[in-house]
Amino acid sequence: MQEARDLFDSMPERTLISWTILMSGYAKHGPSAEALALFKEMLSSGDNHKTRLRPDSYVYAVVLRSCGEMRELGFGKGVHGQVLKKGEAFLDGFLENSLVNMYSSCGQLEDAVLIFDGIEKPGLVAWSSMLSAYVKNGFEKEGLSVFLDMVSKGIKLDAFVFSMVIKACSNLEELNLGIQVHGLMVKKGFGKGSCLFLDNSLMDFYAKCKDLRGLRNVFDQLYEKDLVSWNTLIMGYVHNFYYFEALRSFRVLMHDICYCDDFTITSILKAISSLHDMGYGRQVHGYIVRTGFVSNSYVMCSLLDMYIECIEHESWEQWEKVPLKVYAGLERGEANECIIIASMLKWCSLLSNLDAGKVFHSLASKLAVDSDPYVISALIDMYSKCGVPDAALRVFERVENPGTVTWSALISGLSWNGWFVEALTCFNKMQLNGIEANEFTLTSVILACVALGDLRKGRELHCKILKTCYESNVSIVNMLINLYSQLSDHRQALKICSLVSDAEISWNLLIQASLKANDYEMIHKLLRRIQSCFGYLEPISVCDIFRSCSSPVLLNMGMQAQAYMTKRGLLSHPTSGNGLIQMYSGCGQIAEADLVFESMPEKSSLCWTSIISAKVEHGHPSEALTLFNEMRRRNKLVDSSTLKSILKACSQMGRVDKAHSLLMSMEVVYGVKPSEEHYSCVIEAFTRAGMLEELENFIDEVVVDKNDTKIWNTLLSSARVIGNMDMAKFALEKLLEIDPNDCFANLMLGKVLVMLGKWKDASKTKTLGPNSSCIEVQNKIFEFVSDQKPSEDVFYKLAEIEREMEELGYVEDRNHLLHDAEEEEYDGAGLGHTEMKAIAFGLLSLPHRTPVRVIKSVRMCGTCHHACKFMSTFVDRELVVKDNCTFHHFRDGKCSCRDSW
């Protein structure tokens, strides 16, 4: 344009054509301001009215185009006024289209519509201008209506029209309509590489609508691919979080074309940042240096962000200083100084480098960018992450009119430092000042509510979120799920899930909340939803799912969960395997728990503890001790739970000396301070061994907290095992001293007093309510309650079993008074209690030789225990009963508990 202007200035005489050509050049290539200045100069040229040049319609059209480019509405209206003075005959189609374009470019859609409606027979250009006006000003639906009118009126469509329609579909994410437009394009001869500009627009449309298959199909059908095509493909993958695909496409681009531009590099650096792939990032850094992109500030800012992101998410100690080197090599200017300073402040906050942060704070002040909202936010974040919230507050207080970003940074920083009350106070001030909260503000305030346990404030905040249309924001919804989950309202947390898609729900929070509420049925429902959407699960959540199946009546559910986790490859983590061991142990399947443990390639300390606990619980104490010795040999961490299981194993085996010595040395050897649970195990060992004098000395001299019910419950349980009434009476009296309203202790004391002949005292004791037993058959759980009559089939089956037992010489054992305390009175062979009804139902419903697994809400009575041992000799299957004390595996006339429960 400069050469053209020099020639124009050297002309001795200029015609209208000369002026028009130069103005048209400026309008097309820029700067548009020169076109307007030239137009003014042309109007004032000439010595008098006769020699002065008169612009024609084309000149006015060129000037109007420049007005639209510069959004010079006032100048454009002046030109429109001159056109109107010349009369309707002067106004041709080309000029009308230019007027529509000028008003629409300046955002005056109503004026553009008035001009368009006044055109008698609008042609393609007028329709295109109106369509473009709507789309460019954010009225995509109106633009699509214009397009449909064009189609219905038979207006010939060109590539520009299709590009604007595709852009409208992209902005609205109207995939189905866009696909129909794509089909029309093909029909009109614009498909399969005939127009590269249009194909690139199509690729952008499919990317924005998240249809990556459509994006790839368009790209693969291109006869010729330019760099814009490659950039659109790579950016499409990056924006849809398909970072590996973006890297693959970048490699192919560099292999086929061997060059790229700044748009390519900034996109690929974003993918690398998200993958935290420092190695690949360094390779791109090398390419940037070799090709001279170090002078491009946008590329270098992206490179800086890449290093910072990788350092944030991975341990890259050797690269922590790289951002400082990149910063030192940047060619800075006023346009990007704020971005660079903000990035470096983020680097300082990640490393908690307060000294470097202060240096950049001083630099921001020196460069006069410390009033920029993003720099201020970065400063507040830096001081907060460096543990100096007071300094963050001082930075904030110097801001005259803080906006949303600044308030959010402060509230987030206060929450980060545990200043939750102050964070809520700032949020209230922010609301009083009329500042709208954003996603980051709301998540920080919800976090403060969780930390303070303030459910009421959390609910108030939830109401505000509903009013501000953030109810479908994924981050906020997951924080609300966390709020309700942590504050014991998991049902409300589940209701919130409907606000976002299943793929975006934080399933881990919901599972933990349901487990905390003992709502195992809900966990199983959640698992089915996770299966349908392939939801993300952490190893701890996999463990929680298995724990929810740790019951004999939920074995099938647990096995289904295991099959699903195996299919997804979620069992390789030790935490998941630990949960599986606990699940099989809780279901009474000790052999399967053993198999899981043995097949684990990596066994954590928790896994060792779980299998040792399982062995003890199922009556294999010697195996537990062997595993414990192996665990120590492999230098695995021994914790409180491990030692509790070993003490219990010693108790079961009668190894009192080993239990006592282990208790006395555990703090020194293992660094574990004994608790009431550990004391209880040793008390059980003394009692089972009949060492009552030593037991009394142990309680008086060693046990610290004698008001803990665990101690006396253990003593009572042991007294029940050995049938010592005096010891049972002593333990019960201690329990009633601690809690006089303990119904179970009252009932037990009554039975003990009867045995001791104290009838008058026994009459003052209380009674317990009904109990129940459950069994699972064909994925359905059936419950049998003590105060309900069984069905006719179960009744007849019980009678049949009773007859068979009598024929085989069964003699009822009534020497179990202390074991029968929780049960209702029943006359007969001992087959009237709930576990016997459940076993009878299992014998009727389950296939031959399938184990019958029952769970009982209270301790199994001695009569039923004796009856089950006898039944196991002729029913040709294993009987498993899990009561509130232990597992009972009945096989061949024996029980795994060795009659001590």
Side-chain angles (χ1 to χ4, degrees):
M1 286 307 300
Q2 186 57 48
E3 285 81 357
R5 183 59 187 256
D6 291 341
L7 284 171
F8 178 80
D9 290 340
S10 65
M11 292 175 68
E13 186 176 338
R14 301 162 187 153
T15 63
L16 180 62
I17 295 174
S18 309
W19 288 94
T20 304
I21 290 172
L22 190 60
M23 276 190 284
S24 179
Y26 280 126
K28 184 176 182 180
H29 302 292
S32 298
E34 287 294 328
L36 301 185
L38 204 62
F39 176 66
K40 291 179 186 177
E41 187 181 343
M42 185 188 78
L43 291 179
S44 60
S45 65
D47 299 331
N48 53 58
H49 182 70
K50 290 183 179 180
T51 58
R52 193 168 295 159
L53 295 173
R54 298 174 185 272
D56 59 11
S57 62
Y58 184 77
V59 172
Y60 282 121
V62 169
V63 174
L64 287 169
R65 177 182 175 183
S66 298
C67 290
E69 287 288 333
M70 297 183 64
R71 297 185 179 272
E72 280 284 353
L73 181 62
F75 199 106
K77 283 185 173 181
V79 173
H80 189 185
Q82 290 185 27
V83 170
L84 291 175
K85 287 180 182 179
K86 294 185 178 291
E88 289 186 11
F90 186 77
L91 196 65
D92 59 13
F94 191 61
L95 196 50
E96 287 172 332
N97 293 334
S98 299
L99 282 167
V100 171
N101 182 63
M102 186 274 293
Y103 279 116
S104 63
S105 297
C106 293
Q108 301 295 309
L109 284 180
E110 291 183 4
D111 293 329
V113 171
L114 283 172
I115 301 293
F116 179 79
D117 290 342
I119 301 175
E120 187 176 348
K121 291 183 178 180
L124 175 62
V125 177
W127 281 101
S128 301
S129 298
M130 204 63 240
L131 172 61
S132 175
Y134 278 125
V135 175
K136 286 181 178 178
N137 285 280
F139 293 92
E140 288 86 358
K141 290 184 179 179
E142 289 78 1
L144 292 175
S145 296
V146 170
F147 172 70
L148 294 175
D149 288 341
M150 291 175 71
V151 174
S152 64
K153 293 180 183 298
I155 305 297
K156 187 178 180 181
L157 307 175
D158 62 2
F160 177 76
V161 171
F162 279 119
S163 70
M164 295 311 300
V165 175
I166 286 297
K167 183 179 180 181
C169 293
S170 298
N171 294 344
L172 294 172
E173 295 187 9
E174 280 283 355
L175 178 61
N176 291 332
L177 181 59
I179 291 172
Q180 293 178 50
V181 173
H182 188 181
L184 183 61
M185 287 168 52
V186 174
K187 187 177 179 180
K188 296 290 184 181
F190 290 102
K192 293 190 177 181
S194 61
C195 177
L196 188 57
F197 155 70
L198 201 52
D199 287 327
N200 290 336
S201 298
L202 268 174
M203 289 170 62
D204 182 63
F205 153 72
Y206 281 115
K208 287 181 178 175
C209 290
K210 301 178 176 59
D211 184 358
L212 298 185
R213 183 176 294 178
L215 164 69
R216 189 75 208 195
N217 286 340
V218 174
F219 179 81
D220 290 340
Q221 289 174 5
L222 293 177
Y223 298 127
E224 183 180 337
K225 302 176 180 73
D226 62 3
L227 193 54
V228 176
S229 309
W230 283 99
N231 284 344
T232 306
L233 178 70
I234 292 169
M235 282 190 284
Y237 282 133
V238 172
H239 290 158
N240 285 283
F241 315 113
Y242 280 68
Y243 303 120
F244 287 110
E245 289 298 327
L247 292 179
R248 289 191 194 98
S249 300
F250 177 68
R251 290 192 188 99
V252 175
L253 166 66
M254 298 308 294
H255 180 269
D256 292 354
I257 301 181
C258 301
Y259 75 93
C260 61
D261 61 9
D262 52 347
F263 293 103
T264 325
I265 293 176
T266 52
S267 294
I268 212 64
L269 285 172
K270 170 67 177 171
I272 292 169
S273 299
S274 301
L275 293 171
H276 317 131
D277 190 344
M278 179 76 85
Y280 203 97
R282 289 173 57 212
Q283 294 179 39
V284 175
H285 188 175
Y287 177 80
I288 290 169
V289 173
R290 290 196 305 273
T291 51
F293 277 113
V294 287
S295 60
N296 187 305
S297 59
Y298 295 102
V299 169
M300 295 306 285
C301 284
S302 296
L303 182 65
L304 184 64
D305 285 339
M306 183 276 295
Y307 277 114
I308 291 170
E309 286 290 329
C310 289
I311 291 169
E312 179 181 10
H313 288 87
E314 300 289 344
S315 178
W316 296 101
E317 294 180 5
Q318 69 271 35
W319 304 108
E320 285 181 356
K321 301 297 180 185
V322 171
L324 198 58
K325 294 177 182 178
V326 174
Y327 170 79
L330 280 170
E331 294 184 13
R332 291 175 289 281
E334 293 181 5
N336 63 337
E337 198 68 68
C338 296
I339 300 171
I340 296 168
I341 295 291
S343 294
M344 291 310 297
L345 286 168
K346 181 182 178 183
W347 171 71
C348 296
S349 69
L350 290 175
L351 300 182
S352 298
N353 192 335
L354 183 60
D355 293 334
K358 288 178 178 178
V359 170
F360 282 105
H361 189 175
S362 301
L363 183 60
S365 301
K366 182 180 177 182
L367 296 171
V369 296
D370 56 344
S371 60
D372 180 83
Y374 291 100
V375 173
I376 291 168
S377 301
L379 280 168
I380 293 171
D381 180 66
M382 183 273 294
Y383 281 119
S384 299
K385 297 286 176 61
C386 292
V388 195
D390 292 323
L393 275 168
R394 287 195 295 273
V395 171
F396 177 81
E397 286 164 359
R398 287 200 294 268
V399 182
E400 289 186 8
N401 295 304
T404 300
V405 176
T406 312
W407 277 102
S408 295
L410 179 65
I411 293 169
S412 176
L414 293 173
S415 293
W416 174 273
N417 284 279
W419 291 24
F420 302 115
V421 175
E422 291 81 357
L424 292 179
T425 303
C426 284
F427 179 66
N428 291 334
K429 289 180 181 178
M430 179 182 179
Q431 289 180 298
L432 290 172
N433 290 339
I435 307 297
E436 286 294 327
N438 64 10
E439 171 188 346
F440 304 102
T441 324
L442 295 170
T443 51
S444 298
V445 178
I446 296 170
L447 177 64
C449 293
V450 173
L452 294 171
D454 194 341
L455 183 58
R456 180 180 177 183
K457 182 67 179 177
R459 284 177 173 153
E460 290 176 7
L461 190 60
H462 189 182
C463 292
K464 178 174 177 59
I465 289 167
L466 293 173
K467 291 177 183 176
T468 52
C469 302
Y470 274 108
E471 72 274 10
S472 59
N473 181 284
V474 176
S475 299
I476 290 175
V477 168
N478 281 323
M479 281 303 295
L480 284 172
I481 290 172
N482 185 37
L483 168 78
Y484 288 115
S485 300
Q486 294 288 337
L487 302 184
S488 304
D489 194 355
H490 76 291
R491 291 283 173 179
Q492 181 62 34
L494 289 164
K495 290 178 183 177
I496 297 171
C497 293
S498 60
L499 300 173
V500 293
S501 67
D502 280 359
E504 296 170 317
I505 293 172
S506 179
W507 297 107
N508 303 296
L509 288 173
L510 289 173
I511 290 168
Q512 289 167 22
S514 300
L515 188 69
K516 186 178 177 183
N518 294 324
D519 192 347
Y520 301 141
E521 185 180 355
M522 183 54 66
I523 294 176
H524 303 154
K525 288 180 180 177
L526 290 173
L527 178 59
R528 285 189 278 273
R529 287 179 64 183
I530 291 167
Q531 287 176 285
S532 63
C533 72
F534 209 73
Y536 172 71
L537 282 173
E538 293 177 357
I540 187 65
S541 297
V542 175
C543 182
D544 289 342
I545 290 170
F546 286 138
R547 285 173 63 192
S548 73
C549 301
S550 298
S551 168
V553 297
L554 294 173
L555 176 61
N556 285 338
M557 185 68 213
M559 293 172 70
Q560 291 174 33
Q562 181 190 6
Y564 174 68
M565 302 305 175
T566 303
K567 185 179 178 182
R568 283 192 56 179
L570 295 172
L571 292 182
S572 57
H573 197 280
T575 303
S576 305
N578 178 49
L580 192 55
I581 292 171
Q582 291 178 346
M583 186 269 286
Y584 275 121
S585 173
C587 291
Q589 299 289 93
I590 186 63
E592 281 73 10
D594 251 338
L595 188 62
V596 171
F597 178 76
E598 292 299 331
S599 63
M600 291 176 70
E602 181 184 349
K603 301 176 179 71
S604 67
S605 299
L606 287 174
C607 296
W608 282 93
T609 298
S610 294
I611 193 64
I612 289 170
S613 174
K615 292 291 185 182
V616 174
E617 191 173 4
H618 291 274
H620 304 286
S622 60
E623 293 179 28
L625 289 175
T626 303
L627 285 166
F628 178 64
N629 292 331
E630 179 67 15
M631 180 183 182
R632 290 180 61 194
R633 191 181 68 80
R634 299 194 182 194
N635 295 320
K636 296 295 181 179
L637 179 66
V638 175
D639 62 10
S640 176
S641 298
T642 320
L643 293 172
K644 177 191 166 187
S645 296
I646 295 304
L647 288 170
K648 203 168 183 180
C650 293
S651 172
Q652 289 178 5
M653 296 178 70
R655 300 180 64 176
V656 182
D657 291 342
K658 183 173 178 61
H660 188 265
S661 63
L662 179 60
L663 178 80
M664 303 311 290
S665 63
M666 58 191 284
E667 189 167 6
V668 176
V669 177
Y670 302 106
V672 177
K673 188 176 180 179
S675 67
E676 278 65 32
E677 289 184 329
H678 299 108
Y679 293 134
S680 298
C681 293
V682 178
I683 288 171
E684 184 180 353
F686 276 123
T687 311
R688 288 193 179 198
M691 301 168 66
L692 304 184
E693 187 177 340
E694 291 85 347
L695 169 63
E696 187 177 344
N697 293 333
F698 178 78
I699 293 175
D700 290 339
E701 297 172 8
V702 180
V703 176
V704 179
D705 185 6
K706 295 179 177 60
N707 287 323
D708 192 288
T709 56
K710 280 189 178 68
I711 301 296
W712 306 113
N713 274 318
T714 303
L715 184 60
L716 173 62
S717 178
S718 301
R720 295 171 80 170
V721 171
I722 64 174
N724 190 315
M725 296 297 167
D726 290 323
M727 185 189 294
K729 178 176 177 292
F730 175 68
L732 287 164
E733 286 171 347
K734 287 291 184 182
L735 284 169
L736 289 171
E737 281 179 22
I738 298 169
D739 182 9
N741 296 317
D742 188 334
C743 291
F744 169 72
N746 270 284
L747 175 66
M748 281 292 294
L749 183 58
K751 295 214 172 192
V752 170
L753 290 171
V754 168
M755 288 294 291
L756 295 174
K758 298 181 180 181
W759 296 90
K760 186 176 180 181
D761 293 333
S763 64
K764 299 175 183 177
T765 57
K766 303 175 183 179
T767 59
L768 290 175
N771 60 77
S772 65
S773 294
C774 297
I775 185 171
E776 184 256 342
V777 175
Q778 295 182 351
N779 294 322
K780 287 181 67 178
I781 297 174
F782 297 87
E783 184 178 22
F784 296 86
V785 183
S786 58
D787 58 358
Q788 291 179 352
K789 289 185 177 180
S791 66
E792 191 174 330
D793 289 345
V794 171
F795 178 81
Y796 284 125
K797 184 64 178 177
L798 285 169
E800 178 189 325
I801 294 170
E802 194 168 339
R803 283 194 305 273
E804 189 168 356
M805 289 171 67
E806 288 175 359
E807 289 172 3
L808 292 171
Y810 173 72
V811 178
E812 184 181 352
D813 185 356
R814 284 287 188 176
N815 297 317
H816 297 282
L817 176 69
L818 291 178
H819 283 93
D820 299 350
E822 293 98 324
E823 282 288 11
E824 75 278 16
E825 295 295 334
Y826 177 77
D827 293 325
L831 304 187
H833 291 162
T834 57
E835 67 268 44
M836 306 310 292
K837 298 171 188 175
I839 289 172
F841 181 74
L843 293 172
L844 284 169
S845 308
L846 294 169
H848 182 58
R849 292 190 176 179
T850 301
V852 177
R853 298 182 181 87
V854 173
I855 183 168
K856 185 174 174 66
S857 62
V858 296
R859 184 188 293 248
M860 192 177 190
C861 76
T863 307
C864 289
H865 190 271
H866 184 62
C868 284
K869 286 201 299 181
F870 192 87
M871 284 170 59
S872 66
T873 61
F874 66 84
V875 293
D876 200 21
R877 66 177 84 199
E878 181 185 14
L879 305 177
V880 182
V881 179
K882 170 73 170 72
D883 64 12
N884 64 356
C885 294
T886 189
F887 269 96
H888 302 273
H889 294 265
F890 298 101
R891 297 189 194 93
D892 303 322
K894 297 178 182 178
C895 178
S896 59
C897 76
R898 298 181 175 87
D899 298 338
S900 299
W901 78 103

